[in-house]
Amino acid sequence: MSPVAASQDPIEDHRTAAGAPATTFAADIGGTWVRMSTGGPGAPVERVPSPSRLRHPDRSTARLRADMVELLSDRVPAGARAALSFGAAIDHLTGTVYGSAPLWGAADTPYDLAADLRRSRPDVTWHLVNDVTAALLDFAAVHARPGTRRVAYLTVSSGIALRIADLERTRIPVDTWGLQGEVGHLPVPLTDPGAEVLAGLPCECGATDHLASLASGPGLVRAARRLGIPRAPQVADWLPGALDANDPGARRLLELGAAPVAHLLRTLWCLDPHLDLIGVGGGVAEGLAGHYAAEIRRRLATATSYADRGRDDAWLGDRLVFCGPGQVDPLRGVLRIGDWLPGVTP
Ligand SMILES: [Zn+2]
């Protein structure tokens, strides 16, 4: 198998056979907005409402998919190299999109978006990656230092996902399904005292007791409800202020939501001591800001065994970055995908 469209050249330096530079088109596609730019880094960004299930609950999945292909086909310049960051689990080897509830509802049949785009606009070179991959490339470009061996980006948002890149070899390893780091759908450890109250919470994927069941944005709403917090549905609005006010229910919710994320980070460093840099972003981490960072760091500072001796502020300061809103941009990151596609391999 080969990557979606491999190239040895950085995407912005690619030249067509005629010798003219191909126009660069980039899009960041989510359930709410589609952001697009033409012309490479620094080009103006256009934002249009996403033709998604979220915005059009009445439209069929087939219609929504056709609308997306039409939107992108309309905007992409002739002969362009198009780099798309997509807010869904995606097979990085083929461009096939696995489930994306905000975009297309609960349809669980994989959809070969790349194939439809190529049929619609065969003159364009299409590159498709997951938005966490695109975010990682932007994060790495800003934060990696000389000597950084591997770098990860973890998003804690409407879903939870992680991506790791090997900077020494310019590789993003994927499995035979073209996936890496869909950690939100791993079983969640409920090891904190009293955490068993959260057992059995559902996940967006249809299973129960996944990391995203309780630690994602919707997961925190479910956890708040289970804890009997009165304003559970408004947890995103309520929680930051309640933490400022040292509300005990808010504190408990933060602890239970952060615990499995800290456990994930601890496991990552146990398995890969050369993971020199991890960025944490996404709506939950950004919305809870200092409270979230402090709770994760507090947990990582605690020794759990000789294999996990606890990490002090200096150690974490070198390796763990909590990103603020807008600091990591998948639209900017996806422009770098041309450098990486040859290294996106099973
Ligand atoms: Zn799940």
Side-chain angles (χ1 to χ4, degrees):
M1 278 184 283
S2 64
V4 177
S7 162
Q8 296 297 328
D9 307 326
I11 194 161
E12 56 271 30
D13 292 345
H14 179 84
R15 285 165 194 278
T16 63
T23 307
T24 298
F25 174 81
D28 178 38
I29 297 153
T32 313
W33 300 104
V34 177
R35 296 161 63 234
M36 295 174 280
S37 74
T38 297
V45 176
E46 179 193 14
R47 191 179 78 158
V48 301
S50 189
S52 65
R53 175 58 50 86
L54 211 60
R55 287 189 182 272
H56 305 282
D58 50 315
R59 285 188 198 169
S60 71
T61 301
R63 162 85 193 277
L64 292 170
R65 287 170 173 172
D67 289 349
M68 184 65 75
V69 171
E70 190 183 316
L71 169 67
L72 296 169
S73 299
D74 271 0
R75 302 300 168 102
V76 68
R81 292 171 67 80
L84 309 184
S85 155
F86 214 80
I90 195 163
D91 181 339
H92 285 79
L93 302 169
T94 64
T96 298
V97 178
Y98 296 117
S100 174
L103 279 163
W104 298 323
D108 53 8
T109 321
Y111 168 53
D112 197 343
L113 175 64
D116 268 359
L117 288 169
R118 279 189 214 106
R119 263 192 292 275
S120 170
R121 287 295 303 273
D123 57 307
V124 172
T125 307
W126 296 96
H127 307 267
L128 267 77
V129 296
N130 171 261
D131 58 352
V132 184
T133 306
L136 167 63
L137 297 184
D138 189 46
F139 174 77
V142 173
H143 291 278
R145 298 173 294 251
T148 300
R149 291 165 292 188
R150 277 186 283 285
V151 56
Y153 181 73
L154 172 70
T155 178
V156 185
S157 184
S158 55
I160 300 178
L162 172 92
R163 207 68 77 239
I164 301 175
D166 183 330
L167 294 181
E168 290 177 313
R169 297 188 299 157
T170 319
R171 288 195 69 180
I172 300 175
V174 295
D175 63 19
T176 50
W177 295 278
L179 295 174
Q180 189 225 96
E182 297 295 337
V183 293
H185 303 290
L186 290 177
V188 65
L190 297 173
T191 49
D192 255 31
E196 59 277 2
V197 68
L198 301 181
L201 288 177
C203 181
E204 275 68 29
C205 71
T208 60
D209 298 302
H210 281 180
L211 178 57
S213 298
L214 61 94
S216 67
L220 285 177
V221 173
R222 289 185 283 263
R225 208 172 269 139
R226 191 62 79 78
L227 292 174
I229 289 171
R231 296 191 58 199
Q234 294 88 39
V235 78
D237 299 327
W238 165 79
L239 191 53
L243 287 168
D244 288 341
N246 220 6
D247 177 279
R251 180 77 215 154
R252 183 82 183 117
L253 181 61
L254 172 68
E255 287 173 4
L256 290 173
V261 174
H263 177 73
L264 172 67
L265 297 175
R266 190 184 284 124
T267 305
L268 285 169
W269 276 316
C270 177
L271 294 175
D272 185 359
H274 290 189
L275 185 53
D276 294 321
L277 182 64
I278 300 179
V280 180
V284 170
E286 293 163 10
L288 300 177
H291 294 294
Y292 198 76
E295 179 61 15
I296 297 276
R297 293 167 76 101
R298 182 181 76 80
R299 287 177 174 272
L300 291 172
T302 306
T304 61
S305 73
Y306 75 87
D308 174 40
R309 296 165 187 268
R311 294 164 169 85
D312 63 25
D313 276 347
W315 195 96
L316 289 172
D318 271 351
R319 291 168 181 82
L320 187 61
V321 177
F322 287 88
C323 305
Q327 285 180 358
V328 173
D329 184 1
L331 187 64
R332 214 163 42 204
V334 81
L335 288 168
R336 300 181 177 277
I337 196 61
D339 299 343
W340 285 87
L341 279 172
V344 180
T345 51

